[in-house]
């Protein structure tokens, strides 16, 4: 059951530390010998750091230079009972939310993950994801439970893969695609956990053909990261879909609440079930199918289009290397389905007609894109997910936009 208590006497320290300095404070947060921690990216601009500190209201900030206590008159210190970690959600807009995770939830998640993949004692993890996000923290927690020291790297490339000596790694799809394109020997890993965004079918096929053991994961900060592996929930996790098609999750991996926001917590968690923002279904044998985010549904001419489903179809086209789909304002249709595509061959990019025909072979006609933007590289959030806010902007490709546009068409 989720604990909605707002605060306790346990202090919360914001951590503006390099990744390799976090395992110690993390271990102390998990075993109770130290304060709860809120890992933040130390490279963030100062205004963003101030915004996060204001939202999280920690008792102190720790940097490589030491610990600085914060005087916050009128603000209650401490965290929810049992909280070990507070993770800032990775949205690109709006007020940041602090997700409070208990040591018990984090341990259950890590243990269930290690058991599911069959990790052997002494096998090490490569951490190449930001530790200010749940996926990176998850790698550190699994390492602690396995009794091993993670190998922390700010990048992942063929040289890192070959030299790290790690059996397991967590990646986002963009990282996996770039490793494949660079010719990395992915057989070096016994397991590649792939999450953070939907995994294109062709990417999985290519990786497995190269000898990689890839396990797709689904989850979010509120569930201690991935809690569904290859469509099957981890031990103890229950998944259902509500009448509107929204995925609901229950079990021992759930968060304790949103930092200093009991009303928000109460609206998200009811009777022990957390309602996500994702559309999906649960089929025979409890297998989970995720369609995409409800807030990414495009309303075009009165028809609703799940953007992630269109992107998945586009990425089965041989002329497409990567794709994202967004809705942009349209005077006639309300929103137009816009495909942002990285061509497989920049010299021979796909055209809009080709991609519309490709989509219509798998989805209803209204799901076919009415605008195509060709781009050299998808813009990404620090978590590795496509930055949809940037992609929705009509000025994508200009300074501060999505990247370099190579061409655009509209139907």
């Amino acid at each position: 059951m989720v604990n909605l208590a707002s605060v306790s006497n346990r202090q919360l320290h914001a951590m503006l530390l390099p990744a390799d300095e976090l395992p110690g404070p993390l271990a102390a947060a998990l075993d109770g010998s130290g304060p709860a921690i809120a890992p933040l990216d130390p490279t963030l601009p100062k205004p963003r750091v101030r915004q996060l500190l204001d939202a999280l209201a920690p008792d102190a900030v720790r940097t490589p230079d030491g610990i600085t206590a914060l005087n916050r008159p009128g603000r209650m210190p401490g965290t929810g009972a049992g909280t070990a970690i507070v993770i800032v959600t990775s949205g690109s807009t709006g007020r940041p939310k602090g997700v409070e995770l208990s040591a018990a939830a984090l341990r259950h998640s890590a243990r269930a993950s290690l058991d599911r993949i069959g990790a052997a004692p002494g096998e090490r993890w490569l951490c190449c994801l930001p530790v200010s996000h749940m996926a990176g923290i998850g790698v550190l927690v699994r390492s602690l439970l396995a009794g091993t020291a993670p190998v922390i790297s700010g990048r992942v490339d063929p040289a890192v893969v070959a030299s790290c000596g790690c059996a397991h790694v967590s990646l986002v799809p963009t990282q996996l695609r770039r490793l494949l394109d660079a010719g990395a020997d992915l057989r070096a890993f016994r397991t590649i956990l792939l999450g953070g965004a939907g995994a294109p079918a062709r990417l999985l096929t290519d990786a497995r053909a190269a000898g990689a053991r890839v396990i797709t994961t689904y989850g979010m900060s509120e569930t201690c990261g991935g809690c569904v592996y290859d469509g099957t929930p981890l031990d103890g996790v229950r998944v259902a879909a509500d009448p509107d098609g929204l995925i609901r999750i229950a079990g021992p991996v759930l968060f304790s609440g949103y930092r200093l926001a009991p009303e928000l917590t109460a609206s998200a968690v009811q009777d022990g079930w957390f309602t996500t923002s994702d559309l999906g279904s649960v089929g025979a044998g409890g297998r989970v199918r995720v369609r995409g985010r409800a807030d990414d549904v495009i309303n075009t001419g009165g028809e609703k289009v799940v953007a992630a489903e269109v992107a998945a179809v586009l990425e089965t086209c041989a002329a497409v290397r990567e794709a994202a789909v967004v809705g942009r304002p349209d005077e006639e249709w309300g929103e137009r389905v816009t495909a942002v595509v990285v061509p497989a061959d920049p010299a021979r990019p796909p055209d809009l007609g080709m991609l519309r025909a490709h989509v219509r072979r798998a989805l209803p006609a209204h799901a076919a894109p009415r605008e195509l933007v060709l781009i050299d590289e998808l813009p990404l959030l620090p978590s590795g997910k496509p930055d949809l806010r940037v992609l929705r902007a009509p000025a994508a490709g200009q300074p501060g936009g999505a990247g370099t546009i190579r061409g655009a068409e509209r139907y």
Side-chain angles (χ1 to χ4, degrees):
M1 179 67 68
V2 172
N3 185 349
L4 299 184
S6 60
V7 291
S8 73
N9 292 325
R10 190 178 192 188
Q11 287 203 340
L12 174 67
H13 287 193
M15 297 283 157
L16 286 165
L17 295 174
D20 58 1
E21 294 185 27
L22 195 62
L26 172 61
L30 289 172
D31 68 19
S33 63
I37 64 171
L40 302 179
D41 181 355
T43 68
L44 288 173
K46 289 184 178 180
R48 177 60 174 170
V49 171
R50 287 194 293 269
Q51 181 189 32
L52 294 178
L53 294 179
D54 183 61
L56 297 177
D59 299 279
V61 177
R62 180 170 173 177
T63 70
D65 296 326
I67 298 175
T68 302
L70 299 180
N71 181 21
R72 295 182 175 275
R75 298 298 293 271
M76 296 179 69
T79 63
T83 295
I85 298 176
V86 179
I87 290 288
V88 178
T89 51
S90 59
S92 59
T93 61
R95 183 174 176 81
K97 294 184 294 186
V99 178
E100 297 198 355
L101 301 169
S102 71
L106 290 158
R107 287 195 187 98
H108 184 98
S109 172
R111 179 57 61 198
S113 173
L114 293 169
D115 290 346
R116 180 64 60 86
I117 67 176
E123 291 182 335
R124 301 181 74 186
W125 285 79
L126 173 64
C127 181
C128 53
L129 293 169
V131 294
S132 54
H133 294 281
M134 191 61 239
I137 282 290
V139 171
L140 300 187
V141 177
R142 292 185 207 108
S143 296
L144 284 171
L145 262 65
T148 62
V151 174
I152 297 176
S153 175
R155 71 183 199 285
V156 58
D157 56 29
V160 171
V161 171
S163 64
C164 69
C166 294
H168 312 287
V169 67
S170 287
L171 300 174
V172 297
T174 299
Q175 289 174 314
L176 181 57
R177 170 50 66 191
R178 291 174 182 174
L179 285 174
L180 282 168
D181 291 347
D185 184 2
L186 299 178
R187 296 171 299 178
F189 297 119
R190 281 220 310 115
T191 311
I192 296 174
L193 296 181
L194 189 67
R202 190 167 73 242
L203 173 61
L204 295 175
T205 298
D206 291 348
R208 288 163 179 163
R213 181 199 180 202
V214 180
I215 296 176
T216 61
T217 70
Y218 166 72
M220 57 281 303
S221 298
E222 290 87 344
T223 61
C224 292
C227 63
V228 176
Y229 281 23
D230 280 344
T232 301
L234 294 178
D235 292 347
V237 175
R238 292 171 289 154
V239 182
D242 72 9
D244 295 324
L246 289 173
I247 293 175
R248 303 171 71 224
I249 300 173
V253 299
L254 282 195
F255 70 130
S256 303
Y258 292 113
R259 172 76 173 153
L260 300 175
E263 300 86 359
L264 183 60
T265 304
S267 68
V269 183
Q270 298 176 350
D271 298 323
W273 287 86
F274 168 61
T275 301
T276 74
S277 299
D278 296 313
L279 296 168
S281 60
V282 181
R287 188 165 185 82
V288 179
R289 174 177 174 264
V290 182
R291 297 178 61 199
R293 289 185 59 84
D295 51 10
D296 290 338
V297 170
I298 301 166
N299 194 327
T300 180
E303 300 285 356
K304 293 185 177 180
V305 176
V306 180
E309 291 184 330
V310 181
V313 172
L314 288 171
E315 288 181 329
T316 66
C317 177
V320 175
R321 181 175 180 267
E322 292 180 283
V325 172
V326 296
R328 289 183 176 175
D330 188 279
E331 292 184 1
E332 180 179 1
W333 299 97
E335 288 184 289
R336 62 180 176 274
V337 180
T338 300
V340 183
V341 167
V342 179
D345 181 356
R348 302 180 63 184
D351 61 32
L352 181 58
M354 172 198 298
L355 296 183
R356 282 179 56 82
H358 185 81
V359 169
R360 291 179 68 170
R361 286 193 285 270
L363 296 174
H366 60 259
R370 294 183 175 274
E371 182 179 21
L372 168 64
V373 176
L374 298 175
I375 199 166
D376 292 337
E377 188 174 272
L378 290 178
L380 301 177
L381 295 167
S383 60
K385 301 176 184 179
D387 192 333
L388 299 181
R389 180 186 59 82
V390 171
L391 292 175
R392 289 189 185 102
Q398 303 304 314
T404 302
I405 286 182
R406 305 186 65 255
E409 300 176 65
R410 189 180 299 180
Y411 173 68

